Amino acid sequence: MENQTLEGDTLLLEGLKVTRQSSIPAFILLLLIYFFIMVSNISLVVLISTEHSLQQPMYLLFFNMSINDAFGASAIIPPLLRDIFTPISERYVGYIHCAFQAFCAHLYGSASHTVLMIMAFDRYVAICNPLRYAAIMTHRMVLGLSVWAWTISFLMVVILIGLSVRLSRCRTVILNPFCDNATLFKLSCESVLINNIYGLGYTVVLLGSSIGSVTLTYLRIAMVCLRSKNKTLNRKALQTCATHLAVYVIMFVSGFIIIVLHRYPHLSDHRKLASILFHVVPPAMNTVIYGLQIKAVRQKIFIMFTRNTTTRGK
């Protein structure tokens, strides 16, 4: 692959590396996972949109997360499915399409952090200042925070990808299952010092603000719960916080593994697999966690399911 030359804006993408014997099982497994991600996340979006009782700040933030999960999975999984049955030497991709996929992949990762930061703030207000929760977390506030989360992520990623797109290219091979920022600027023979500096700053700011805000928020919540003798309050806090923390930990660990594996070139195949899992595991697990742990959502899903079953029986 590395010695092959292509003309114009056509690149050669490594894609998902599978043997001929495992191609069909890999395709079926990945297709089922993608189907589950889309159905579960879209169902949660529809449920929150149509059920008036769920149009509260916490559930509207779940709405944002489900949109982002469906978006992130759709940017990566369908091209992977296509590449499974395409010979490696014929996995061509246009440069513009590659840059757009990289943009979508990084926007998904950034929005995951910013939305979860807002969710942590929502839990902080609900538990530490419950009497003012309705006054603070209004629909206008939630809308403003959601717009902020997506806008900040969008601008940061536009700059990130823009710095790579500006470079001239002397290579045509993407040694990765899908296009991302690192594979874009590695196509160039120019100096990528600016890209590395901004990329490092982008990572530090995003992860630092995410980890810092979530840590401080939950330390404050823990202090309030320890001082409180209200068992009902503590149980409710534990339930809602455990859900948010589970989602955050899954997302953070999936992304952190990729960053660590970048330091070990001989584990490149493991890093490539981890990069795929980052777009598969969190989107698949988030709606399961929401559905099982959030009582209101679980009840609405059960009512909707039994209602449909009764209607079909008639």
Side-chain angles (χ1 to χ4, degrees), residues 159-176:
I159 297 173
L160 183 74
I161 302 301
L163 288 174
S164 297
V165 171
R166 70 183 174 86
L167 300 170
S168 61
R169 304 187 300 278
C170 62
R171 303 182 183 92
T172 56
V173 180
I174 300 290
L175 295 176
N176 208 48

Side-chain angles (χ1 to χ4, degrees), residues 55-72:
Q55 293 177 12
Q56 301 174 25
M58 181 173 65
Y59 305 120
L60 293 176
L61 294 175
F62 290 167
F63 180 94
N64 275 277
M65 183 60 68
S66 292
I67 291 290
N68 189 46
D69 286 340
F71 168 75

Side-chain angles (χ1 to χ4, degrees), residues 122-175:
D122 173 75
R123 292 300 84 208
Y124 167 78
V125 176
I127 296 170
C128 299
N129 205 347
L131 298 179
R132 296 194 58 206
Y133 179 78
I136 296 175
M137 295 302 294
T138 62
H139 281 75
R140 184 174 181 178
M141 172 65 81
V142 174
L143 178 61
L145 290 174
S146 299
V147 171
W148 171 85
W150 285 98
T151 301
I152 292 296
S153 300
F154 179 84
L155 293 176
M156 291 178 66
V157 176
V158 163
I159 297 173
L160 183 74
I161 302 301
L163 288 174
S164 297
V165 171
R166 70 183 174 86
L167 300 170
S168 61
R169 304 187 300 278
C170 62
R171 303 182 183 92
T172 56
V173 180
I174 300 290
L175 295 176

Side-chain angles (χ1 to χ4, degrees), residues 7-248:
E7 297 181 356
D9 288 335
T10 303
L11 305 175
L12 191 63
L13 180 66
E14 181 183 60
L16 186 62
K17 296 173 67 175
V18 293
T19 63
R20 183 177 299 179
Q21 294 77 13
S22 60
S23 58
I24 294 179
F27 179 86
I28 295 175
L29 177 61
L30 200 56
L31 180 63
L32 290 175
I33 293 174
Y34 180 62
F35 179 78
F36 174 78
I37 290 172
M38 297 305 294
V39 170
S40 59
N41 280 284
I42 292 175
S43 297
L44 189 58
V45 167
V46 172
L47 181 64
I48 294 173
S49 301
T50 56
E51 291 290 340
H52 181 73
S53 61
L54 294 181
Q55 293 177 12
Q56 301 174 25
M58 181 173 65
Y59 305 120
L60 293 176
L61 294 175
F62 290 167
F63 180 94
N64 275 277
M65 183 60 68
S66 292
I67 291 290
N68 189 46
D69 286 340
F71 168 75
S74 296
I76 302 300
I77 299 179
L80 290 177
L81 290 171
R82 178 200 61 204
D83 291 340
I84 287 179
F85 295 113
T86 303
I88 295 180
S89 60
E90 298 177 10
R91 292 176 181 173
Y92 304 121
V93 60
Y95 182 78
I96 295 177
H97 181 272
C98 186
F100 180 71
Q101 186 184 43
F103 170 81
C104 293
H106 288 279
L107 180 60
Y108 160 73
S110 299
S112 296
H113 282 279
T114 53
V115 171
L116 284 169
M117 288 166 61
I118 298 174
M119 293 172 70
F121 174 72
D122 173 75
R123 292 300 84 208
Y124 167 78
V125 176
I127 296 170
C128 299
N129 205 347
L131 298 179
R132 296 194 58 206
Y133 179 78
I136 296 175
M137 295 302 294
T138 62
H139 281 75
R140 184 174 181 178
M141 172 65 81
V142 174
L143 178 61
L145 290 174
S146 299
V147 171
W148 171 85
W150 285 98
T151 301
I152 292 296
S153 300
F154 179 84
L155 293 176
M156 291 178 66
V157 176
V158 163
I159 297 173
L160 183 74
I161 302 301
L163 288 174
S164 297
V165 171
R166 70 183 174 86
L167 300 170
S168 61
R169 304 187 300 278
C170 62
R171 303 182 183 92
T172 56
V173 180
I174 300 290
L175 295 176
N176 208 48
F178 55 87
C179 298
D180 60 8
N181 182 61
T183 57
L184 282 180
F185 68 69
K186 286 180 180 178
L187 296 174
S188 178
C189 294
E190 297 182 39
S191 171
V192 293
L193 179 61
I194 296 177
N195 298 72
N196 286 324
I197 292 175
Y198 180 81
L200 179 61
Y202 164 86
T203 304
V204 170
V205 170
L206 185 64
L207 292 183
S209 57
S210 173
I211 296 172
S213 62
V214 171
T215 301
L216 291 175
T217 297
Y218 280 99
L219 284 176
R220 178 60 180 164
I221 291 174
M223 291 172 61
V224 170
C225 291
L226 288 175
R227 288 200 300 261
S228 174
K229 296 181 180 181
N230 190 329
K231 294 183 179 180
T232 303
L233 174 65
N234 292 342
R235 184 169 59 252
K236 182 179 179 181
L238 179 62
Q239 181 183 1
T240 57
C241 292
T243 303
H244 177 264
L245 278 177
V247 172
Y248 185 82

